[in-house]
Amino acid sequence: MGGGDQSNRGVAMKVGILAGGFGTRLVEETERLPKPMVEIGGRPILWHIMRYYEHFGFTDFAVALGYKADYIKRWFVDYSSLEGDLHLDLTSRHVSTGEVEDRRPWKVSLIETGLLTGTGGRIKRLLPHLGPGTCMVTWGDGLADIDLGALLDFHRSHGKLATLTAVRPPARFGHLEIERDQIVRFDEKPQTGEGWINGAFFVLEPEVADYIEGDKTMFERAPLQKLAADGQLMAYRHHGFWEPMDTERDRTNLVNLWATGEAPWKVWDG
């Protein structure tokens, strides 16, 4: 899968990642750390998501914080300053770091969005940090092998306010009804059926903020429903790999894929 610089598609674009939820369905891990910090192969799933975006040329991130925000802040500070060799002169108290093979070319803003804020509220708080134009947004607990360049091209081709990535996992998520790539109905988490569902990996225009009432708003409910009703929500259909890390079983599967060298989202070298 190709990557490369996304600047040939316009101004460098920012990516928002929601990392503030409680992760209650993965309680074994999230009692001690936020879910985006749960590790796969020694790196937080948040790192894997950011590496995936980086492969396509997206290196400017704003991360929405909430639950255990200090943990995420400390990880980024440690990752940026302590990765690789560390050299200390105890006489002069001078500390320096050596060359780091894995130093990422990221710009990261860690934004406090409130402990009890809903996904819509977090997105609304992030949007000023992602503007002034088109941006990408996703959850901090899901991996995929989506062609992000094609996703962006699709969004720009239709001229609507929002694109979400539609995927087809087992039917335990919100169901989408799609006609000619336009979402005409959005239902939250039905228990039957195996149609297209919301896989996140959104592309959004700033006007989406007008559809979000406030902090308590869940993006998956009223905002997406209203966008669909207004004909402003489009679906980019992804037929490949997509998996959230909602449960311990999900985490184990992702860990095993990485350990066996079969992780579909690992599209980078090294």
Side-chain angles (χ1 to χ4, degrees):
M1 181 184 297
D5 190 352
Q6 49 95 22
S7 61
N8 62 349
R9 292 184 171 92
V11 176
M13 189 173 301
K14 296 185 178 182
V15 178
I17 303 176
L18 272 61
F22 287 97
T24 54
R25 286 181 289 180
L26 196 65
V27 67
E28 298 91 343
E29 296 284 346
T30 56
E31 283 185 344
R32 62 184 181 86
L33 77 173
K35 186 161 68 165
M37 290 287 102
V38 174
E39 292 189 350
I40 299 170
R43 298 288 192 190
I45 189 172
L46 179 60
W47 179 91
H48 290 261
I49 294 167
M50 294 170 72
R51 282 291 272 124
Y52 192 80
Y53 274 96
E54 178 195 333
H55 177 75
F56 290 88
F58 302 97
T59 58
D60 199 338
F61 301 93
V63 181
L65 305 180
Y67 176 64
K68 294 188 181 295
D70 288 352
Y71 191 108
I72 298 177
K73 290 178 181 178
R74 284 195 297 271
W75 186 87
F76 273 102
V77 170
D78 289 346
Y79 180 64
S80 63
S81 61
L82 301 181
E83 189 76 8
D85 296 339
L86 188 65
H87 306 285
L88 303 93
D89 184 330
L90 299 184
T91 303
S92 64
R93 297 182 180 180
H94 177 73
V95 179
S96 62
T97 56
E99 292 297 320
V100 179
E101 292 183 5
D102 190 44
R103 195 177 300 281
R104 310 301 344 137
W106 299 341
K107 294 181 180 179
V108 185
S109 298
L110 303 174
I111 309 300
E112 293 277 5
T113 58
L115 183 62
L116 302 178
T117 307
T119 51
R122 293 192 197 283
I123 290 173
K124 189 161 188 170
R125 289 195 183 203
L126 272 191
L127 284 173
H129 301 275
L130 300 174
T134 309
C135 66
M136 289 187 162
V137 172
T138 197
W139 310 146
D141 62 356
L143 292 164
D145 63 353
I146 298 159
D147 185 333
L148 297 178
L151 168 63
L152 179 56
D153 288 343
F154 172 79
H155 176 80
R156 287 177 167 163
S157 74
H158 60 62
K160 306 293 186 179
L161 293 183
T163 297
L164 65 74
T165 298
V167 296
R168 280 181 175 261
R172 57 191 174 101
F173 301 88
H175 175 68
L176 311 177
E177 290 183 15
I178 304 172
E179 294 178 5
R180 296 181 181 178
D181 292 327
Q182 181 166 312
I183 298 169
V184 296
R185 182 182 175 90
F186 186 102
D187 292 323
E188 174 68 5
K189 295 189 178 180
Q191 299 303 308
T192 61
E194 294 186 0
W196 294 95
I197 65 107
N198 172 19
F201 290 91
F202 303 98
V203 186
L204 305 176
E205 299 300 326
E207 293 84 356
V208 166
D210 298 335
Y211 286 79
I212 303 171
E213 184 175 349
D215 276 355
K216 301 300 183 183
T217 303
M218 299 300 291
F219 193 60
E220 307 91 310
R221 297 176 185 168
L224 289 184
Q225 291 167 353
K226 184 64 163 59
L227 283 162
D230 289 352
Q232 291 294 330
L233 181 60
M234 302 295 285
Y236 177 77
R237 303 190 201 212
H238 175 60
H239 297 271
F241 173 83
W242 176 89
E243 186 162 336
M245 191 174 62
D246 282 336
T247 66
E248 182 60 30
R249 180 178 179 180
D250 296 335
R251 187 194 72 84
T252 299
N253 183 49
L254 293 171
V255 167
N256 289 340
L257 286 171
W258 183 265
T260 58
E262 298 178 358
W265 69 89
K266 189 184 182 301
V267 292
W268 58 87
D269 296 327

